[in-house]
Amino acid sequence: GAGVSQSPRYKVAKRGQDVALRCDPISGHVSLFWYQQALGQGPEFLTYFQNEAQLDKSGLPSDRFFAERPEGSVSTLKIQRTQQEDSAVYLCASSLRNSPLHFGNGTRLTVT
Amino acid sequence: AQTVTQSQPEMSVQEAETVTLSCTYDTSESDYYLFWYKQPPSRQMILVIRQEAYKQQNATENRFSVNFQKAAKSFSLKISDSQLGDAAMYFCAYRRSIGTGNQFYFGTGTSLTVIP
């Protein structure tokens, strides 16, 4: 596609439910990033992939967060047993090496 | 550790006037990239301008220009002839240029209001 595509655009989950957020990066972009953006804040780094390899997951806030990119293209961010503090916008971005990030529109997760 | 600081949570500017958004950063690296991103209510982050640290010349993109002061670790964005469509959150970002640490570090943002 022409840009980074994220789905769903909105997700409401009850506390304790598992959620899966999808990111389809720009074709050919080897680097893929997940960011968490709380209301009124800047994006905070979660994890980074180069192709299918997860090279940095230092930003994942707990072991309830898990990301994968098995074929080096589409990525999924999974959050298990969601908590209210997980409510945020989750942004996915892709890039070529050493180039600017191209962002998707994000998924707004609300945990009730 | 790299940090990015935007000290102006909110700014406003009259339409057609000029406004400058401030950004400072902290790094021990000598080579890196700096960016300004715009985030309108649609949430999509849009690249406004980028600057390579090894380039002394300030980057310019139409009405947008930067004042890059490497020694002071300052990277301000100037918007000339402000338009209503410029209203958005603006984020300053830093990226290392080498190695596997490809994280982008973002500031907390500046909310820009354009007054008709």
Side-chain angles (χ1 to χ4, degrees), chain A residues 40-42, chain B residues 4-13 18-24 36-37 65 67 74-79 88-92 107-113:
Chain A
Q41 299 295 314
Chain B
V4 179
T5 302
Q6 293 179 251
S7 59
Q8 305 155 316
E10 298 178 346
M11 291 284 285
S12 62
V13 61
T18 296
V19 65
T20 298
L21 308 184
S22 301
C23 173
T24 58
W36 279 96
Y37 279 87
S65 62
N67 183 7
S74 171
F75 183 61
S76 61
L77 174 69
K78 185 172 81 171
I79 307 174
M89 284 290 289
Y90 285 81
F91 292 96
C92 178
T108 51
T110 297
S111 177
L112 178 66
T113 300

Side-chain angles (χ1 to χ4, degrees), chain A residues 25 28-32 48-55 68-75 95 97:
Chain A
H29 280 194
V30 299
S31 298
L32 185 145
Y48 159 65
F49 290 86
Q50 187 171 308
N51 296 306
E52 70 279 2
Q54 189 175 21
L55 299 185
E68 60 183 5
R69 193 186 185 197
E71 297 179 358
S73 179
V74 172
S75 177
S95 76
R97 190 184 295 274

Side-chain angles (χ1 to χ4, degrees), chain A residues 4 8-10 31 33 35 37 40-45 48 50 55-56 58 89 91 95-108, chain B residues 6 33 35 37 39 41-47 49-50 52 89 91-109:
Chain A
V4 178
R9 187 149 169 80
Y10 300 92
S31 298
F33 300 78
Y35 283 84
Q37 186 176 22
Q41 299 295 314
E44 294 281 345
F45 171 79
Y48 159 65
Q50 187 171 308
L55 299 185
D56 190 342
S58 62
V89 173
L91 295 169
S95 76
L96 297 169
R97 190 184 295 274
N98 285 338
S99 73
L101 292 177
H102 297 263
F103 284 86
N105 284 330
T107 294
R108 181 180 297 280
Chain B
Q6 293 179 251
Y33 296 93
F35 306 86
Y37 279 87
Q39 188 178 41
S42 67
R43 298 202 306 258
Q44 185 168 24
M45 300 276 279
I46 301 165
L47 177 67
I49 199 166
R50 67 179 283 184
E52 291 90 346
M89 284 290 289
F91 292 96
C92 178
Y94 165 101
R95 181 182 194 180
R96 287 174 59 188
S97 66
I98 59 173
T100 58
N102 280 288
Q103 291 186 34
F104 278 65
Y105 297 87
F106 288 86
T108 51

Side-chain angles (χ1 to χ4, degrees), chain B residues 64-84:
Chain B
F64 299 88
S65 62
V66 299
N67 183 7
F68 174 47
Q69 301 289 328
K70 191 172 184 179
K73 297 180 182 175
S74 171
F75 183 61
S76 61
L77 174 69
K78 185 172 81 171
I79 307 174
S80 304
D81 185 25
S82 297
Q83 300 176 0
L84 294 178

